[in-house]
Amino acid sequence: MSKSGSPIKQLPQFQYWHQKIETMPRGHLETLQLERLQNMVDRAMLTPFYAPKLKAVGINGSEDIKGLDDLKRIPFTTKNDLRDGFPYGFLSIPKEDVVRLHASSGTTGTPTTIYYSKDDLSRWASYVARCIYGTGCNHGDVFQNMITYGLFTGGLGFHAGAEEVGMMVIPSGSGNTTRQFRLMQDFGTTVVHATPSFLLHVESIMRAEGVSRDSIKLKRAFAGAEPYSEDTRRRIEELLHIDVYNSYGLSEMNGPGVAFECQCKDGLHIWEDGYIPEIVNPDTLEPVPDGEIGELVITILCREATPILRYRTRDLTGFYTEPCACGRTHRRLRRITGRSDDMLIINGVNVFPSQIEEVIMAMKEVGNNYLIEIEKDGVLDKLTVKTEVGPDIFMDDSRPLNSLRERIRKTLQASITINPRVELHESGSLPVSEGKAKRVYDKRPKDV
Amino acid sequence: MSKSGSPIKQLPQFQYWHQKIETMPRGHLETLQLERLQNMVDRAMLTPFYAPKLKAVGINGSEDIKGLDDLKRIPFTTKNDLRDGFPYGFLSIPKEDVVRLHASSGTTGTPTTIYYSKDDLSRWASYVARCIYGTGCNHGDVFQNMITYGLFTGGLGFHAGAEEVGMMVIPSGSGNTTRQFRLMQDFGTTVVHATPSFLLHVESIMRAEGVSRDSIKLKRAFAGAEPYSEDTRRRIEELLHIDVYNSYGLSEMNGPGVAFECQCKDGLHIWEDGYIPEIVNPDTLEPVPDGEIGELVITILCREATPILRYRTRDLTGFYTEPCACGRTHRRLRRITGRSDDMLIINGVNVFPSQIEEVIMAMKEVGNNYLIEIEKDGVLDKLTVKTEVGPDIFMDDSRPLNSLRERIRKTLQASITINPRVELHESGSLPVSEGKAKRVYDKRPKDV
């Protein structure tokens, strides 16, 4: 049994998009990595950002990268570096050879921008295709891409990978839930890509609108773009009777297709022929012992237009140390529980939103949506957790509600050591975002 | 001088994406069309919709298509036929070989759906590339695609064509005007694709926000997805100091890339190696004399997944009869002035919204946005035309306003023979749609 309870032994034989690479012996993989890292360092030397940085640590080109250990000599790159290098500090090919750019939304300042050559795009599509195919999909599947298209990499990235696999792609984009069911029913959608919060929302609305599960043929979902707990995955799987696969990517590393779950659904294989992952202590920046949690740092190995070395993702994860049953040799990352930036400090205690999600999504009586609110109450911080109740619970019967509320409060307190206020809301009444879910509302004054 | 006033003699030499095809002698073009039509009829025979229809008129396959004249034996296909054939009545390949579908929004009933094979998508991209390249763009250009991505063909269609040309594509999508300028400034955008109404809106907001024209490098715009007048084109060109190229396409015929203006900007070359156009009288369905206006009917010549023969587009246009200065042999369509469905009957008089647009966009004092409203006033229809005034006109000075209002009213009455009420609104105060503009609000009871 996999972690999410699916009987993996009943699965058909594992399928590989590129078997030779996916099951390559570690030694060969590392030889390939070294060769590609050397190439990448030469590319980086062509950029205004890296040339002086690399020279400062005595690296003048690939000749100074003798082994993978030399990676550690290269300084880290941060999101702020990408901003400082805007717009062309990281570009290593002539502008005329760029065929696409993606940019972060830039709500807080300068956007971070990634450029792609034609070959970069086809390589990216092939990594996404590898992820999709590895979950058991093939060209007979109907794929509905329920995520934002445009500057965000999630939409166009999955779109290209799914077309490469040859699935019938429905570019439905995000939002418009009722239309999404209609499309699933009309075209027999078998696979969707969405944020986990949108999947939960879809299930709530299906139930509210009386859409029967039998009217859709859904088998699988790829869920990503926001961190979510194993309990949330299990909840989506049980409610929709599907397999949910965890997807990881970030625009700095192309977008989706960096790491993905195979049919074992037990950790995300990071494609080490395309990326070198490291896990470091975010304070000391030293590597953590194998298997421990730390900040994920990634070096991209195959991109002509925008080389990025040792990028600090802020995402917290660790490696599984044992090999995977699927036969792939590329290491697995643990579910990403959050970003180091997401950490809330509430009355001096470190709390991750994922800890709260884990508690409430494990309770059957709790509905599909929740919000976290932090306010200042005098000198103290006040944490309120608002959750929806399940659709079968009526808000006019106060006794069971009081008992549920108290149970949530106690379990949360045991987990995060803070005593939260818990509010119960009617099913479907809390606000839903169409893109990445906004769950945390920190209303404390910024300058305190 | 071209119609829009640009000095075409100063243009660099015309450039062709596929010179041999674009300048192919008519005789050769017709031979190619016949061969492809025969192939298309064989494909159509594989579909549940066409097989009985074609047999009924004595066509059992390509052997019954001896010349292009035999096209006339094939019955017309309408939007309702596409709806009736939903979902797979027009599909001529195994479902597993479909890699994409696009669908109309289906706001009024069943969506119309077009399926594409892998080869269909690359052929489509190459038609769009031909259009883009023919306006003088090349791989050094920066292209901002300010139109909706997703099920609508405009976004993904132009995206693929622009990447094929090798331009740097910014997949900005529609809306978020302020961010659009920011992107133009940051990346030196030279070409945009948008609806004409969004281009006018962009210009208004630029002016309102004090964004200097010198801060952007824009040279060209592709405007389509809604009909617009020559005066609107001229207005956009003068306000933004750019060349605006008219784009025509429809999802039934892939999407954008069906017909496009060359650098002469005087009519849209319809790509006759990919499409057979006919112009018919929408009442009698007989061909109109060459050069006259009628309904455009199109047969697609190269699509594996969804053959569509003699499709009634409802779009009104006619052929230019003289050859184009650019040397392309593919015939030119006149600017599409509207759809036969758009025609309004106001107190028994036929009025096209385009007639109203033509009058008001030719007046310099009128701003960039307008709306048309029809209400019932007792037994009579009442037409109100709401227009914005230009940004330099102040709404508190009533004398010039009264005179402008009266001038608009008189000019409109002379053009459409109906006496409208004219309302003047402050610059930027009328509602703007992010996608196709909604200009006409017919508020008359539906059952009257």
Side-chain angles (χ1 to χ4, degrees), chain A residues 251-268:
Chain A
S251 64
E252 294 84 349
M253 296 292 132
N254 281 344
V258 176
F260 218 81
E261 286 185 327
C262 65
Q263 287 175 293
C264 300
K265 292 198 291 185
D266 191 16
L268 303 93

Side-chain angles (χ1 to χ4, degrees), chain B residues 200-266:
Chain B
L200 284 171
H201 177 64
V202 161
E203 195 279 330
S204 300
I205 301 291
M206 268 179 74
R207 218 175 330 177
E209 296 192 1
V211 177
S212 132
R213 174 61 181 86
D214 293 342
S215 71
I216 63 171
K217 295 186 178 158
L218 204 58
K219 289 187 295 190
R220 294 183 189 90
F222 309 135
E226 59 188 37
Y228 60 111
S229 66
E230 189 57 38
D231 289 299
T232 298
R233 184 227 297 262
R234 214 168 288 152
R235 176 181 281 247
I236 300 170
E237 292 193 322
E238 284 166 12
L239 288 171
L240 286 169
H241 312 293
I242 58 174
D243 279 305
V244 173
Y245 292 89
N246 206 337
S247 155
Y248 177 73
L250 60 166
S251 65
E252 294 83 349
M253 297 291 131
N254 282 343
V258 175
F260 219 82
E261 286 185 328
C262 66
Q263 287 176 292
C264 300
K265 292 197 291 184
D266 191 15

Side-chain angles (χ1 to χ4, degrees), chain B residues 22-41:
Chain B
E22 293 174 52
T23 61
M24 187 177 261
R26 295 289 312 170
H28 294 196
L29 199 49
E30 282 165 19
T31 308
L32 184 65
Q33 283 186 323
L34 177 58
E35 191 183 295
R36 290 181 170 177
L37 175 63
Q38 288 167 332
N39 177 30
M40 220 55 194
V41 164

Side-chain angles (χ1 to χ4, degrees), chain B residues 235 359-369 385-413 419-427:
Chain B
R235 176 181 281 247
V359 167
I360 58 188
M361 282 294 141
M363 295 187 174
K364 293 225 176 304
E365 302 89 336
V366 169
N368 287 349
N369 200 357
V385 176
K386 304 180 177 185
T387 80
E388 289 182 2
V389 295
D392 311 324
I393 297 182
F394 296 101
M395 291 299 289
D396 47 6
D397 190 354
S398 68
R399 257 187 323 178
L401 289 183
N402 287 338
S403 128
L404 173 61
R405 191 185 295 111
E406 188 53 20
R407 193 144 51 85
I408 297 174
R409 194 192 58 71
K410 276 192 182 152
T411 327
L412 276 175
Q413 189 172 14
N419 185 10
R421 210 162 73 83
V422 172
E423 276 182 20
L424 299 182
H425 291 257
E426 203 167 334
S427 177

Side-chain angles (χ1 to χ4, degrees), chain A residues 86 96 98-101 104 115 118 121 139 149-151 159 163-164 167-169 171 179 186-187, chain B residues 86 96 98-101 104 113 115 118 121 139 149-151 159 163-164 167-169 171 179 186-187:
Chain A
F86 184 83
E96 307 85 75
V98 173
V99 297
R100 170 106 58 94
L101 67 80
S104 71
Y115 303 95
K118 232 168 214 185
L121 290 181
H139 72 297
Y149 279 68
L151 285 167
H159 181 98
E163 278 187 2
E164 174 124 350
M167 305 200 284
M168 187 196 288
V169 177
R179 186 166 194 216
D186 283 346
F187 300 109
Chain B
F86 184 82
E96 306 85 76
V98 173
V99 298
R100 170 103 60 92
L101 67 80
S104 70
T113 307
Y115 303 94
K118 230 166 215 185
L121 290 181
H139 71 296
Y149 279 68
L151 285 167
H159 182 98
E163 278 187 3
E164 175 124 350
M167 305 200 284
M168 187 197 287
V169 178
R179 189 170 191 212
D186 283 345
F187 301 109

